[in-house]
Amino acid sequence: MLVLGIETSCDETAVAVVQDGVTIRSNVIGSQIEQHRPYGGVVPEIAARAHLELLVPVLDRALAGAGVGYPDLDGVAVTVGPGLVGALLVGVAAAKSLALACDVPLIGVNHLEGHVCATQLASGSLPVPMAALIVSGGHTSLVLLRADGRLQTLGATIDDAAGEAFDKVARVLGLPYPGGPEIDRLAREGDPAAIAFPRALLHDGSWDFSLSGLKSAVVRELRRRQAAGVATWAPDVAASFQEALVEVQVAKTVDAARATGVDTVTVVGGVAANSRLRAAMAAACEAAGLRLLLPPAALCTDNGAMIAAAGHNRLVAGERTALDVAADPNLGLAPLPLPPLERSRT
Amino acid sequence: MLVLALETSTAQSGVALANDAGVLAAATLGAQRGRAHAEFLAPAIAFCLARAGAGIPDLTAVAVGLGPGLYTGMRVGIATAATLAAARGLPAVGIASLDLLAFPVRHARRMVCATVDARRGELFWAFYRPSPGGVQQVTEHRVGPVGKLAGELSALGEDVLCVGDGAVAHRAALESAGADVGAGATDHPTAQALAELALPRLRRGEGGPPGSLRPVYLRRPDARINPPAPILVTVPPGGGEGNR
C-alpha cells in the first residue's frame, strides 16, 4: 500500500511516499527557514505563501524520488491540525484535490500523532505501550501511546514550546534563527553549571512544562551582569540554559514512563535533534531500565513520511476522512488505531 | 474541451464545469457562509462532475481565480487547481478576480471599475473598458484606501459603473465621487464567468503548467523584524554571529 503524506502545519512544506506504513520511498522537505530568518521566527502569512509556492515542486519531487506516478497511490494522508491555519489549509486543499484526482481515500492526521509515528518508520513497527516526548518549535507535550493504541496527553507546556525558548534565548545571544542548532553548538564549549537557571515545575507532581520563565530568567541574568559590569561567556549561558531545559524534560519523561508502567520511551519533534537532550535522555533511561527509541533527526523534524505512516495505520483500520474536512489549528488527540504489524504479534 | 473552474478569492465560493457549449453544472456557496472555502470546494467539484455525468478523467483543463481577495480563499483555490492539474497532467489557466467581476457587465457601455473588499478600509480595484466580446483592462490592479479610488474616479470625469463587494462596502464614498455602484449579482466573481473567460484562452493553447498559477496578493505579508535585545556577551571566535 502506497500512501502519500502531506505536512504543512508550520514552516516545512513536506511530502513523502511511504509503502506499507514503514518503508520510506521518498521524503522531500521544502524548507522556508531563509524566508523566516530575518524575523527571528515563523511568520504565518509568509509560511502560507511559501507553502503554496513550494507545493507542486515538492509533490513532483516526492513522486519522482519514489519512482511512482500519481495513479500508483493508494491513499493520501494530510496533517489537519494542530498548526497555523493558513499553512494547514494549503496542504489540506492539495490533499483533497489529490484524493479526488487519483480516486483514492483521504485520511486526516493529527500532527502530534504523526510525530509519534516517526518511531514506526525508524523501528519497523509502532511500539506500544510507549511514552513519547514531543518537543518542537510549536509543541512540548508528553503523551502516552497506550497498549490499546490510544494516544493520551499526559502533560504539555503551559506557555512557550521548547523550540520557542531556544529561539528566544538565541536571539538574546545574537545568534541567528533557528536557535536550536546554534545553542546546541555553542553549549558544547560552555559550562552547564555556570549559571543556575530555574527548573520550572520540576517537582510539582504534574507532567506539564513551563518555559517562558526560563527565557525571562536568562534575559534577567544577562541584564544584571551587564549592569554590574560582569563579562559573560556566551557558551556558559547557552550550556546553562540548555541544561535547565533538558533536565526538566528528561525527569518528567522518565517519571511519566515509570508512573504509567511503560518500558519504552521516545523523543520526537525538532528539539529531539538536540545533542544534550539525546545524551541526557539516553543516560536517564539506561539508569531507569527503560528502552529509548530515538528516530534519526530527519524523521524527528516535521516531515511527510510520519504523516503517511500515521495515515497508513488509520486507512488500514478502515478509517476515511470526508472531503469537507476543515483544518483545525487547535486539534486535540483522537484515538489512534493499532497498526496491523504490531497487532499481529500480540 | 471540458474545463473545471474554481473561484474562491472572495467571501463567495464557486465551482463550474463547462464545455465549448457552455456551463454544464455549477455550485455556489454564498458570501454569508463566507470563509468556508476549504470545506466547500472538494465536495462541490464532486457534485458538479456527478451532475454533468462526467468524471475526473474527462477533464481537459483547469481554471482558477487568482485574486486579489481573501488570501486564504485564494490559496485554497490555487492549491486545489494546481494539484489537480499536476496529478492529471492538465493545462491550467489563472484569471484575476477583478477581470471576472468586470466581464459580466461588459454590456454596460461605459467604464467599469471592478473592486474587491481588501478589509482594513481598503479595496483592490482596476478599470476596464467594454470592447467587442469582452472588456479591456485599462489600469493595473491596485490596492489602497477608498479615498484614493474616489480621487481616481473624480479625476476621470467619466461615467463609471463600480462593481464588486469593495464598492458595496464603500458605496457612499464612491457615489459621492460620481460613480454608480452596481448591486446584487455583480458583487462577487463567479466560477461561471471564469469558465467563460478561460475557454477561449485554453482553445488558443494558453494553458500553462500548474506552477504558472500565481496568486495576486498586491500586499506584502505583515511581518515585523524583531531586533535582538542589546545584551553584551562574549562569544568564542567563529562561534556564530553574536554581538561581541
Side-chain angles (χ1 to χ4, degrees):
Chain A
M1 184 181 205
L2 277 182
V3 176
L4 181 134
I6 301 178
E7 152 63 38
T8 64
S9 68
C10 190
D11 63 339
E12 315 272 20
T13 312
V15 179
V17 177
V18 172
Q19 187 171 347
D20 302 326
V22 290
T23 306
I24 299 173
R25 296 282 296 266
S26 67
N27 192 13
V28 179
I29 297 166
S31 175
Q32 312 172 0
I33 284 178
E34 292 306 324
Q35 282 150 286
H36 298 288
R37 180 167 285 145
Y39 306 99
V42 176
V43 180
E45 177 62 19
I46 291 178
R49 290 185 183 197
H51 282 308
L52 185 59
E53 219 164 289
L54 289 166
L55 175 66
V56 172
V58 170
L59 260 177
D60 282 346
R61 204 188 290 185
L63 285 158
V68 301
Y70 288 99
D72 300 318
L73 300 176
D74 298 303
V76 177
V78 64
T79 306
V80 292
L84 303 169
V85 69
L88 287 165
L89 275 171
V90 174
V92 170
K96 291 179 184 181
S97 185
L98 208 49
L100 266 177
C102 303
D103 194 21
V104 294
L106 172 76
I107 188 78
V109 170
N110 181 301
H111 181 76
L112 297 181
E113 181 180 319
H115 271 307
V116 171
C117 287
T119 57
Q120 177 174 326
L121 293 163
S123 316
S125 67
L126 191 61
V128 292
M130 171 174 72
L133 175 67
I134 305 168
V135 265
S136 69
H139 309 280
T140 298
S141 293
L142 248 179
V143 302
L144 173 67
L145 175 59
R146 300 190 330 200
D148 64 3
R150 282 166 184 267
L151 267 177
Q152 184 184 335
T153 301
L154 300 173
T157 181
I158 57 172
D159 39 55
D160 291 353
E164 248 178 305
F166 273 99
D167 288 339
K168 286 175 178 172
V169 169
R171 200 151 66 206
V172 167
L173 293 175
L175 300 169
Y177 169 86
E182 298 289 335
I183 298 263
D184 194 348
R185 195 172 317 132
L186 201 58
R188 281 172 213 167
E189 300 176 51
D191 174 9
I195 308 167
F197 288 126
R199 270 71 170 159
L201 310 186
L202 182 57
H203 301 297
D204 76 331
S206 83
W207 292 312
D208 289 331
F209 304 93
S210 171
L211 290 149
S212 71
L214 174 56
K215 171 209 66 188
S216 305
V218 172
V219 174
R220 224 169 21 246
E221 176 65 13
L222 289 178
R223 289 203 192 287
R224 189 189 66 76
R225 286 172 174 235
Q226 191 177 22
V230 180
T232 302
W233 180 235
D236 284 349
V237 180
S240 299
F241 154 76
Q242 181 175 272
E243 196 61 22
L245 184 145
V246 164
E247 189 182 317
V248 180
Q249 308 260 313
V250 169
K252 295 221 173 201
T253 304
V254 170
D255 184 58
R258 279 200 181 123
T260 54
V262 302
D263 61 4
T264 305
V265 167
T266 190
V267 186
V268 288
V271 180
N274 180 273
S275 65
R276 179 63 194 136
L277 177 58
R278 291 174 93 91
M281 193 68 84
C285 284
E286 198 187 337
L290 297 165
R291 178 172 68 131
L292 175 62
L293 297 175
L294 285 175
L299 293 177
C300 284
T301 50
D302 289 355
N303 65 86
M306 69 185 198
I307 301 304
H312 171 269
N313 297 347
R314 288 186 174 269
L315 286 171
V316 166
E319 284 190 37
R320 302 288 184 266
T321 299
L323 287 176
D324 66 352
V325 67
D328 183 351
N330 304 310
L331 184 67
L333 284 173
L336 175 71
L338 274 175
L341 281 169
E342 192 71 19
R343 201 178 275 164
S344 61
R345 290 182 192 173
T346 52
Chain B
M1 185 75 75
L2 184 66
V3 61
L4 178 70
L6 313 176
E7 167 46 57
T8 54
S9 56
T10 68
Q12 175 178 291
S13 310
V15 174
L17 190 67
N19 62 15
D20 294 314
V23 172
L24 295 167
T28 304
L29 185 69
Q32 291 165 33
R33 293 278 301 119
R35 310 221 176 193
H37 311 95
E39 294 92 81
F40 167 78
L41 198 53
I45 294 170
F47 168 84
C48 288
L49 285 167
R51 289 293 95 193
I56 291 276
D58 300 318
L59 294 175
T60 57
V62 181
V64 65
L66 301 177
L70 295 172
Y71 295 162
T72 295
M74 287 154 53
R75 284 192 282 261
V76 165
I78 295 170
T80 302
T83 309
L84 187 57
R88 300 296 309 174
L90 300 175
V93 162
I95 297 179
S97 57
L98 296 172
D99 299 8
L100 303 178
L101 281 164
F103 180 70
V105 290
R106 59 191 176 279
H107 306 300
R109 296 184 183 198
R110 50 179 163 162
M111 185 79 99
V112 171
C113 179
T115 69
V116 168
D117 188 358
R119 320 280 148 145
R120 308 179 221 167
E122 296 196 327
L123 303 89
F124 302 113
W125 75 85
F127 285 89
Y128 298 80
R129 212 176 268 294
S131 68
V135 290
Q136 187 73 41
Q137 187 184 333
V138 293
T139 66
E140 60 186 4
H141 297 147
R142 291 197 231 280
V143 60
V146 63
K148 191 176 165 207
L149 173 56
E152 283 189 19
L153 287 165
S154 304
L156 204 61
E158 217 180 295
D159 192 11
V160 179
L161 173 65
C162 295
V163 292
D165 64 351
V168 172
H170 299 280
R171 177 184 293 275
L174 300 184
E175 285 177 348
S176 316
D180 287 333
V181 175
T186 59
D187 285 358
H188 298 279
T190 66
Q192 290 91 328
L194 173 61
E196 262 191 273
L197 274 172
L199 276 164
R201 293 192 196 186
L202 289 161
R203 279 195 291 267
R204 291 197 297 268
E206 289 173 18
S212 66
L213 301 174
R214 307 194 70 86
V216 181
Y217 289 114
L218 298 186
R219 275 191 190 131
R220 301 177 65 79
D222 282 331
R224 270 183 312 113
I225 294 182
N226 295 309
I231 299 176
L232 286 174
V233 291
T234 312
V235 299
E241 298 160 8
N243 42 55
R244 279 147 233 250

